[in-house]
Structure formats: C-alpha cells, structure tokens
Amino acid sequence: MAKRLYYKYSDYLKEKYNKKVYKIPVNINTTCPNRDGNIGSGGCIFCGEEGAGFELLDKNNSIKKQIKKNKEFIIKKYKAEKFIIYFQNYTNTYLKLEIFKDYILECIDEDVVEISISTRPDCISEDILSFLKDIEIKYSINISFELGLQTCNYKTLKRLNRGHTLAEYIHGVNKIKKYNFELCTHMILNLPWDDKDDVIEGAKILSSLEINTVKIHSLYILKNTLLGNMYEKNEIEIIHKDEYIKRMILFLEYLDPNIGIQRLFSRAPKERTLFCNWDTSWWKLKDQLIELMKEKETYQGKKFQYLKPRITRNI
Ligand code: SF4
C-alpha cells in the first residue's frame, strides 16, 4: 500500500470520532502575560494587537451565542455532526479559576466531543488540569491543549521575545501528558534566524515528546509589530518560497507519521500584513508541496527511525 504523504487532520478526526467533526472557535475576554507585563511586555515580536484570531466573533458575545452562530453556519456548509469548541486567541488559561470554569461549563452540549484550549506552557496550573479532568470524566468530552513553540532554537525563542524557553515548553508538555490530554504544537518553519537543522530538530523534539498534532505556520509579518519594523528596515530576510517548501518536506520526513497535521500554511488577511506566503495563495503552496513530495517519493515519517535505538535498529 502506498504511504500517505502526510497525516491529514480530517483523517485523524475521522479515525478518532468516526463522525464529521468541526472546530468552532470561541473568543473570550483574556489577554496574555507576555503582553501585559506579568511575564513580558509587548508580546512576541510577530504577534498583533488582536492576537491570532482573525476570524473570531466578538468576545462580548456569550460563548453560547458564538457557538450557536458558528454551528448554524458549519452544519449548513459542511454537514458537521459533532464539534470541538476551540478557545483560540491569546492565553485562555490566564484567568481566575472560577471564570475559566464558567467558560468551560458553558461549552458543554450533547454534540460537543472535545474542548481544545490554546495557552502558554507557563500558564497551566494543576487546579486547571484537575478541573478539566473532572469535566472529561463527567461529560465524556475530550480535552486537548494547543501550545505555541514556534522553534526549538532557544536563541531564536529569545529573539522572538516568547518569554519562555524550550525547557518550559517541555515542562508544560509533561504536565499536560500526566493528565492524558492530547496536545497540538505550533511551529513556524521560516523564522529568519533558523536554518534547516533547527527545523529537523523541531520535528524530532515534537516526535520524541509524542505530541498528537501539529500546526505548521509559514511566517507572516503583520503591520505595526516589532517584526514588521525589522522587515521594513530590511533587518531580516525571509527565505524563498521554494526553499521553504523543501524545509517543510524535511520537517514532515522527520516527524512521527502518527502526528496529525492540523495546518500546513498560515492564512492572514492581506490588508493586515507586510508579508504573507510570498503573495501566493495557500492552496497553490500546498499543491507545490504535494507535487514535490510525489516527485521525491517521500512522505511524513520517512526519516523517523532516529528514535529507534541505533544499536537495535538493524537487528
Ligand atoms: S504568547 Fe501568544 S498571545 Fe502572547 S504575545 Fe506571544 S503569540 Fe501573542
């Protein structure tokens, strides 16, 4: 049987739930400790004022209202049967515990199979984890987390002003895994200070930590950000599109084939960016990636055998 090129998230969900499952993003009243001075100020150098949620509904609407509105649209368009409620923007565990609990309880419904929470590795308390475990058991709703790592290069993490290092990310993963929750990690493969070895090492680290899914981002540069200023002053260089596609292939080759790919390329509104996807649509980039993978006869996990102990590999 031919190897699959990469493990699509839609297949991952089909195998897990055996139903048409769609994500519903919700927007809550929170911020980020890396923006408000608690851990850092100004945030990551690529992060815009609105965080990452370009398609989100107004956070002043209740969660129930946001879910209802999105559900109507998704059921009509995709005939979805079950839903994942996705707390997407900023740091969704950076809240008083009682407020966080209320938000989670508001999501619970018969057709909700999972609640996915995007946060930072330094904002995951035992109180939150044990509350979520109770929810999982009581309502049979899976809990998953999303953490941004972006790169495994700790020097680049510093330049990005992430406010955490690789060690804290690993610590966060271990905490989440202890409760048996699933985990997605975000990676950017064309950060100006990284090279292909960083990308390979990133794939190896995520594989060795046995994360469940990954969102791959092509770096986009938002207006009015520190990264935007650097770009306008020609202080940074973005690699060529063809080079980027080659890096993506390397990343996929070294990634555990059982890790689902939630995203291959970033999407950002043109009017908000100084640079995004080499002015090419993301589906054209995807076509280019697939074509090259087929030409090279390669696939996700082709070079994954590094986790097998060398000494026993050929026995
Ligand atoms: S941690 Fe996330 S929300 Fe906070 S500044 Fe960085 S990218 Fe923005």
Side-chain angles (χ1 to χ4, degrees), residues 32 34-35 42-44 46-47 51 90-91 120 162:
C32 170
N34 198 27
R35 302 186 69 93
C44 304
F46 54 77
C47 182
Y90 294 125
T91 308
R120 290 173 53 88
R162 286 289 301 166

Side-chain angles (χ1 to χ4, degrees), residues 53-206:
F54 299 121
E55 298 138 3
L56 288 169
L57 294 175
D58 187 344
K59 64 183 173 196
N60 295 317
N61 288 328
S62 72
I63 288 200
K64 278 217 180 316
K65 207 169 169 187
Q66 292 181 49
I67 294 175
K68 187 170 178 278
K69 203 160 176 212
N70 271 316
K71 230 186 228 180
E72 284 166 1
F73 171 76
I74 292 170
I75 290 175
K76 211 167 153 195
K77 188 157 181 201
Y78 303 107
K79 315 233 171 319
E81 295 163 88
K82 299 282 174 187
F83 300 93
I84 298 171
I85 307 301
Y86 175 33
F87 289 79
Q88 179 178 5
N89 214 13
Y90 294 125
T91 308
N92 291 283
T93 52
Y94 187 47
L95 296 161
K96 288 217 161 59
L97 183 61
E98 291 314 311
I99 297 176
F100 177 78
K101 284 182 176 177
D102 286 346
Y103 279 137
I104 296 296
L105 289 168
E106 243 191 285
C107 302
I108 291 164
D109 210 340
E110 274 177 4
D111 52 10
V112 171
V113 288
E114 185 172 326
I115 297 173
S116 172
I117 300 151
S118 182
T119 187
R120 290 173 53 88
D122 44 19
C123 288
I124 308 163
S125 70
E126 290 294 329
D127 284 348
I128 279 181
L129 290 166
S130 80
F131 163 71
L132 289 170
K133 196 75 217 173
D134 292 345
I135 292 290
E136 192 173 69
I137 294 164
K138 186 166 175 195
Y139 298 100
S140 297
I141 290 177
N142 289 317
I143 302 293
S144 61
F145 278 87
E146 289 198 11
L147 294 179
L149 175 61
Q150 320 305 354
T151 172
C152 69
N153 182 327
Y154 62 88
K155 289 184 181 156
T156 303
L157 285 171
K158 236 182 201 172
R159 285 184 193 255
L160 293 176
N161 194 36
R162 286 289 301 166
H164 68 76
T165 68
L166 179 60
E168 283 134 13
Y169 163 79
I170 294 172
H171 184 61
V173 173
N174 289 338
K175 271 173 124 176
I176 290 167
K177 289 277 166 189
K178 208 171 81 191
Y179 282 80
N180 230 355
F181 296 141
E182 287 205 356
L183 175 68
C184 170
T185 294
H186 295 233
M187 297 296 275
I188 302 174
L189 304 188
N190 59 332
L191 286 163
W193 307 279
D194 283 1
D195 60 24
K196 67 181 180 44
D197 289 337
D198 296 303
V199 166
I200 292 172
E201 194 60 20
K204 286 179 157 189
I205 287 174
L206 301 192

